[in-house]
């Protein structure tokens, strides 16, 4: 158990809908990262937050947004969902910067 | 450009065989960090090792060992006396320079057969 929690574990929804994925980092970790794992693109970095502020942005679509709250948990919002958004979404946390990122169990999103 | 290449897509071995998973990385930064993660069939990503660019010492942890060679930009992972529980996808990843994101290889799927 990495200490990073993610909910829900599975999510099935329809095209055009909006969903929210939630992540709680390990105790003491200030950085939260979101990654998407799909069959065709592999693991891709989406976005990083550090202590409530956005720090880095990767291949995140405009339909996606994220935030980190004062209690350091983070949410990833996916809207206007398309079939191609079906993937495994991971949250990771670290103390800072180059430290090891520990991953949550992931949320498997299926868009029908 | 920063890149991680895992040339072996799939490897199949018989239990107790030794197996080496290759990882080649590219970066122009002098400071970087290399990682290996394991993704078993259950889907989670499990951290195995982190190495920084200034520490070329090889590491052994039980049946696992890692060979870091800056001269060839490689960070290979060997499992000695493989077991069925080692069956998983293994990812090599890189954090370089001022980036905080992990740059991933495509992974090597290892099947250890009884």
């Amino acid at each position: 158990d990495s200490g990073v929690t993610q909910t829900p574990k599975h999510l099935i929804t329809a095209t055009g809908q909006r969903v929210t994925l939630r992540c709680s980092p390990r105790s003491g970790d200030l950085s939260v990262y979101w990654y998407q794992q799909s069959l065709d693109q592999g693991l891709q970095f989406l976005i990083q937050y550090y202590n409530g502020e956005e720090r880095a942005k990767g291949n995140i679509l405009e339909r996606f947004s994220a935030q980190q709250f004062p209690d350091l948990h983070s949410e990833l919002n996916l809207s206007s969902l398309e079939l191609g958004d079906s993937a495994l979404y991971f949250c990771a946390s670290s103390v800072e910067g180059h430290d090891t990122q520990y991953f949550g169990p992931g949320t498997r999103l299926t868009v029908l | 450009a920063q890149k991680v290449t895992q040339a072996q897509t799939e490897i199949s071995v018989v239990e107790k065989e030794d197996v080496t998973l290759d990882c080649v990385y590219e970066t122009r930064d002098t400071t970087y960090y290399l990682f290996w993660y394991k993704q078993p069939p259950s889907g989670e990503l499990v951290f195995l090792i982190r190495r920084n660019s200034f520490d070329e010492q090889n590491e052994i942890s039980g049946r696992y060992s890692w060979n870091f060679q800056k001269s060839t930009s490689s960070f290979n992972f060997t499992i000695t006396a493989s077991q069925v529980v080692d069956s998983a996808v293994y990812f090599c990843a890189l954090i370089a320079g001022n980036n905080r994101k992990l740059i991933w290889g495509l992974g090597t799927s290892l099947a250890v057969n009884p």
Side-chain angles (χ1 to χ4, degrees):
Chain A
D1 186 352
S2 68
V4 180
T5 60
Q6 285 187 251
T7 56
K9 195 169 175 62
H10 300 278
L11 201 47
I12 301 175
T13 188
T15 55
Q17 295 298 305
R18 173 189 169 93
V19 297
T20 297
L21 312 183
R22 184 188 166 102
C23 167
S24 292
R26 295 187 319 156
S27 177
D29 285 357
L30 299 178
S31 270
V32 168
Y33 310 77
W34 287 97
Y35 292 86
Q36 179 195 60
Q37 185 178 30
S38 60
L39 285 174
D40 55 343
Q41 301 230 8
L43 276 154
Q44 299 276 321
F45 168 74
L46 295 178
I47 198 163
Q48 179 208 357
Y49 280 83
Y50 176 79
N51 204 20
E53 293 191 4
E54 183 184 303
R55 268 285 175 93
K57 227 170 183 177
N59 301 321
I60 187 166
L61 299 171
E62 284 191 15
R63 300 183 286 108
F64 296 0
S65 65
Q67 54 185 328
Q68 187 179 27
F69 295 87
D71 68 352
L72 300 178
H73 92 270
S74 178
E75 293 181 356
L76 179 66
N77 301 297
L78 315 176
S79 60
S80 303
L81 285 167
E82 302 175 359
L83 296 178
D85 297 328
S86 295
L88 195 48
Y89 290 85
F90 285 105
C91 168
S93 76
S94 72
V95 175
E96 162 64 294
H98 303 127
D99 294 317
T100 298
Q101 294 177 27
Y102 292 91
F103 283 77
T107 293
R108 184 169 295 281
L109 173 67
T110 303
V111 182
L112 301 175
Chain B
Q2 297 163 351
K3 187 179 177 182
V4 175
T5 301
Q6 294 179 258
Q8 304 149 308
T9 305
E10 294 180 359
I11 299 176
S12 182
V13 299
V14 177
E15 210 171 13
K16 296 184 185 175
E17 280 186 36
D18 298 348
V19 57
T20 295
L21 310 182
D22 297 333
C23 172
V24 174
Y25 62 92
E26 293 176 33
T27 179
R28 292 181 180 174
D29 296 286
T30 54
T31 301
Y32 53 89
Y33 302 81
L34 295 163
F35 302 81
W36 277 94
Y37 286 85
K38 173 182 179 180
Q39 187 173 39
S42 50
E44 71 271 25
L45 282 165
V46 179
F47 164 73
L48 296 178
I49 190 170
R50 172 180 181 265
R51 254 302 176 253
N52 73 58
S53 53
F54 302 109
D55 182 4
E56 277 195 83
Q57 197 169 8
N58 292 330
E59 180 153 339
I60 298 174
S61 175
R63 296 183 297 106
Y64 294 174
S65 62
W66 290 269
N67 183 346
F68 177 25
Q69 290 197 335
K70 288 176 77 169
S71 60
T72 55
S73 297
S74 65
F75 186 42
N76 296 338
F77 172 30
T78 297
I79 302 175
T80 303
S82 59
Q83 299 177 0
V84 172
V85 293
D86 296 326
S87 297
V89 180
Y90 291 87
F91 291 96
C92 182
L94 166 71
I95 291 178
N98 292 324
N99 282 327
R100 300 293 184 264
K101 63 179 181 181
L102 283 162
I103 297 166
W104 299 86
L106 292 180
T108 296
S109 178
L110 173 65
V112 181
N113 303 298

